[in-house]
Amino acid sequence: MSSPLQSVHIVFIPLLAQGHMIPMVDMARIFALRGAIATIYTTPVNALRVRTTIDRSSKLGMPIRLVEIPFPCEEVGLPIGFENLDILPSPELLTKFYSALGKLQEPIEKHLREQTPAPSCIISDKYIFWSSETAKKFGVPRFIFHAMCCFSVLSAHNLKQFNCSDSITSDMEPFEVPGMPKGFKITKAQLPGNSVCRQDFEVFRGKIQEAEMAAQGVVVNSFDELEHGCIEAYQKAIGKRIWSIGPVSLCNKDESDMFQRGNKASGDSEKCMAWLDSMRPRSVIYACLGSLCRLVPSQLMELGRGLGASQQPFVWVIKREEGDSELENWLMEERFEEKVKGRGIVIRGWAPQVAMLSHPAIGGFLTHCGWNSTLEGVCSALPMITWPLFSEQFVNEVLVVDILKIGVRVGVKVPVRWGEERKVGILVKADEIVRAINALVSEDEEGEERRKRAAELGEKARQAMQEGGSSHSNMSRVLQYIMAGPTQEAV
Ligand code: UDP
């Protein structure tokens, strides 16, 4: 029997950054699972990272495909292959990166014109501003994806609306963010600012805002029960439909999907999974600071010292970078891995994070509070140690520690903005890491309550994605909206 969804064709245009691309690939797979045709546009280097996942979904019968468009590095003066923000060595190249992104518009539109069925809707990253024009040309709605939670997007909206940056004079004095359903305090220093706030980037910033305003709706990788009224409040504030359809990572049920998500897992990963099998349930701390962590080696050494000094078993993910020989030398001189053998494992490169977090031996997550990682921790019912680095991560920390009450702060007070890592140096000492780990694993009442809340939240996350759950129902609503045709009223 043919379904009306068979002619619904949704086009996904993710930003070329792991924290944006990974959830959008999951999202596309969820739409395809429902029967809509999903086309994801990306560039060759990024396609290589997710091709296996898409091919597997496609072989299972999902109407999904990945289309590669060459990234015009040479044309804009970027070194060849610099196709993802995690490859870009410095913020100085960001303007060129965005110029190259802009040049994807024409070939994508050309490819789209040749497609049958024609596109019914575009879901694009907020930063792919030109997709607003593309949607107009094709006469279809466009929804944007922030790759953040509504709690942080609403905070940013309110701070701007109430002109807070002018009225708050102290950088380090906590102040109340106005207009939030659940009040909270933060310092001005911890707000998402931007080291890349360069003059030449301003032209893009204006266009991004304009395109955001023109969008018909917003899709959010979150779920209603997590956001404490922020989704409704944000919907009211911007007068657009907002659909929370996550946590999208929960669509990865198959072991291979979990293991290969977002990139090829590092060679150490399989050994690590086998080691986890031998560990006591809920005994291991998984420490990973995201895909863009550029902390200086001396800070990473402190993290290593902290993990080493705590009595807790751990997995420590460190990104292998050009020029990180300083950290490698330290690991060798300290005979770090030898000393922690049996209790701790180091993964160099890309860890299969969702597979690891889902392992029964993992009992806590030391995270930088990137939104995807935060949500993945929630899905695995894990209490968290929070170590925000930059962007909206300090706001996410507030959500985890103060609102959801499932986290312990490591105690970092200021961000490490891109390009300023050396200037900032060491912000967290080994003993603070040991203190946070001890607090997290403590069997006192506070520790038990934290674990209980994390377990309840994990259950709510799973329920949200099941039939009848909030995100599952929201997904049906998005599809209904798309099927109803191009001209619909805002909320
Ligand atoms: N991730 C992973 N392995 C790694 C590092 C990151 O699978 O070694 C994934 C992680 O599961 C998450 C994404 O990359 O889905 C990172 O997004 P997040 O928003 O947490 O942080 P960002 O990297 O954007 O700072």
Side-chain angles (χ1 to χ4, degrees):
M1 210 173 67
S2 85
S3 140
L5 278 173
Q6 277 172 353
S7 55
V8 171
H9 180 187
I10 309 177
V11 172
F12 295 85
I13 315 180
L15 179 68
L16 309 178
Q18 292 300 74
H20 294 242
M21 177 119 185
I22 293 174
M24 214 183 243
V25 166
D26 282 344
M27 199 186 289
R29 288 168 60 223
I30 298 173
F31 275 101
L33 252 180
R34 290 284 193 104
I37 301 166
T39 301
I40 308 167
Y41 284 100
T42 194
T43 67
V45 167
N46 292 290
L48 205 61
R49 298 178 177 193
V50 295
R51 169 76 59 205
T52 324
T53 306
I54 304 295
D55 286 352
R56 197 173 25 249
S57 302
S58 168
K59 273 195 197 116
L60 287 171
M62 291 184 217
I64 187 165
R65 66 194 162 156
L66 189 64
V67 179
E68 283 179 36
I69 306 287
F71 199 55
C73 287
E74 272 179 303
E75 214 179 303
V76 301
L78 267 182
I80 291 176
F82 280 29
E83 299 184 13
N84 189 300
L85 283 182
D86 70 356
I87 304 172
L88 238 53
S90 74
E92 278 73 45
L93 294 177
L94 203 71
T95 307
K96 289 181 176 165
F97 184 78
Y98 269 88
S99 300
L101 270 178
K103 291 186 184 298
L104 299 181
Q105 179 179 358
E106 208 184 297
I108 288 181
E109 288 178 0
K110 180 170 179 291
H111 187 270
L112 274 177
R113 271 192 287 274
E114 291 154 6
Q115 302 312 303
T116 333
S120 327
C121 170
I122 295 178
I123 300 187
S124 102
D125 199 278
K126 164 187 151 176
Y127 291 102
I128 311 285
F129 55 85
W130 47 260
S131 62
S132 179
E133 232 173 72
T134 309
K136 256 193 225 139
K137 284 185 196 165
F138 285 84
V140 296
R142 168 180 167 269
F143 308 146
I144 54 165
F145 174 60
H146 285 279
M148 292 180 189
C149 60
C150 266
F151 181 76
S152 71
V153 179
L154 178 66
S155 311
H157 176 89
N158 288 351
L159 288 165
K160 201 166 153 202
Q161 208 66 12
F162 290 85
N163 249 330
C164 291
S165 64
D166 296 342
S167 56
I168 310 293
T169 47
S170 160
D171 267 358
M172 302 307 285
E173 194 64 42
F175 69 96
E176 177 100 10
V177 174
M180 297 299 289
K182 258 198 169 177
F184 75 92
K185 287 188 172 178
I186 196 158
T187 68
K188 193 171 172 180
Q190 293 172 331
L191 291 176
N194 226 326
S195 58
V196 293
C197 192
R198 296 151 44 96
Q199 215 53 43
D200 48 357
F201 193 76
E202 280 311 303
V203 46
F204 293 118
R205 201 178 300 283
K207 288 182 179 172
I208 291 164
Q209 277 168 9
E210 224 174 274
E212 188 176 346
M213 270 156 34
Q216 273 76 17
V218 181
V219 285
V220 187
N221 178 21
S222 189
F223 58 104
D224 295 351
E225 296 79 358
L226 187 72
E227 295 266 9
H228 290 265
C230 290
I231 297 177
E232 298 78 7
Y234 186 51
Q235 176 155 293
K236 211 165 149 203
I238 62 169
K240 290 183 200 300
R241 278 166 218 268
I242 303 181
W243 296 282
S244 54
I245 55 170
V248 294
S249 66
L250 286 176
C251 75
N252 296 286
K253 296 193 173 74
D254 183 275
E255 248 176 62
S256 319
D257 286 338
M258 283 197 220
F259 201 79
Q260 288 163 343
R261 185 167 175 260
N263 209 342
K264 191 171 180 310
S266 125
D268 315 319
S269 308
E270 280 183 34
K271 193 177 77 193
C272 181
M273 292 302 278
W275 175 73
L276 284 175
D277 288 344
S278 72
M279 299 304 286
R280 257 192 319 115
R282 299 258 145 188
S283 65
V284 181
I285 303 284
Y286 171 86
C288 177
L289 298 172
S291 68
L292 299 172
C293 170
R294 298 177 170 99
L295 290 178
V296 287
S298 52
Q299 176 64 90
L300 293 172
M301 289 173 208
E302 285 298 316
L303 172 53
R305 284 192 192 99
L307 291 168
S310 87
Q311 297 306 306
Q312 216 51 35
F314 65 86
V315 173
W316 178 20
V317 183
I318 48 180
K319 279 182 66 220
R320 200 198 284 272
E321 289 267 325
E322 294 274 324
D324 68 358
S325 54
E326 214 179 316
L327 180 64
E328 275 305 325
N329 287 344
W330 177 81
L331 288 167
M332 233 157 59
E333 280 156 19
E334 286 286 312
R335 295 186 296 111
F336 183 84
E337 284 161 277
E338 212 179 303
K339 282 187 196 155
V340 299
K341 199 161 189 236
R343 184 171 68 85
I345 281 211
V346 177
I347 293 190
R348 293 168 174 81
W350 191 256
Q353 182 159 303
V354 162
M356 296 217 156
L357 293 180
S358 313
H359 195 286
I362 299 291
F365 182 11
L366 189 158
T367 174
H368 71 307
C369 302
W371 181 241
N372 295 287
S373 295
T374 304
L375 206 48
E376 289 156 17
V378 165
C379 290
S380 292
L382 293 170
M384 296 181 234
I385 295 171
T386 57
W387 182 331
L389 301 174
F390 48 76
S391 188
E392 93 294 8
Q393 294 160 10
F394 284 87
V395 181
N396 294 343
E397 175 181 61
V398 170
L399 179 68
V400 169
V401 180
D402 303 328
I403 313 266
L404 303 174
K405 299 190 192 318
I406 56 167
V408 173
R409 284 185 168 85
V410 85
V412 54
K413 301 268 186 297
V414 290
V416 187
R417 302 205 198 279
W418 193 11
E420 294 174 6
E421 296 83 358
R422 300 237 158 235
K423 201 163 99 192
V424 173
I426 297 177
L427 291 176
V428 186
K429 302 285 280 184
D431 56 352
E432 293 170 284
I433 296 157
V434 176
R435 178 202 46 80
I437 294 177
N438 288 342
L440 196 83
V441 301
S442 164
E443 289 178 2
D444 63 9
E445 199 185 331
E446 218 178 308
E448 293 298 346
E449 285 297 315
R450 198 180 292 118
R451 276 186 287 278
K452 199 169 141 220
R453 280 189 293 269
E456 286 166 3
L457 211 51
E459 189 47 41
K460 285 185 186 165
R462 273 182 292 281
Q463 281 170 5
M465 292 298 277
Q466 282 161 12
E467 198 155 352
S470 59
S471 293
H472 191 275
S473 307
N474 285 337
M475 186 61 127
S476 308
R477 290 186 192 109
V478 185
L479 287 166
Q480 276 159 12
Y481 182 98
I482 298 171
M483 284 191 292
T487 44
Q488 291 190 59
E489 297 287 308
V491 284

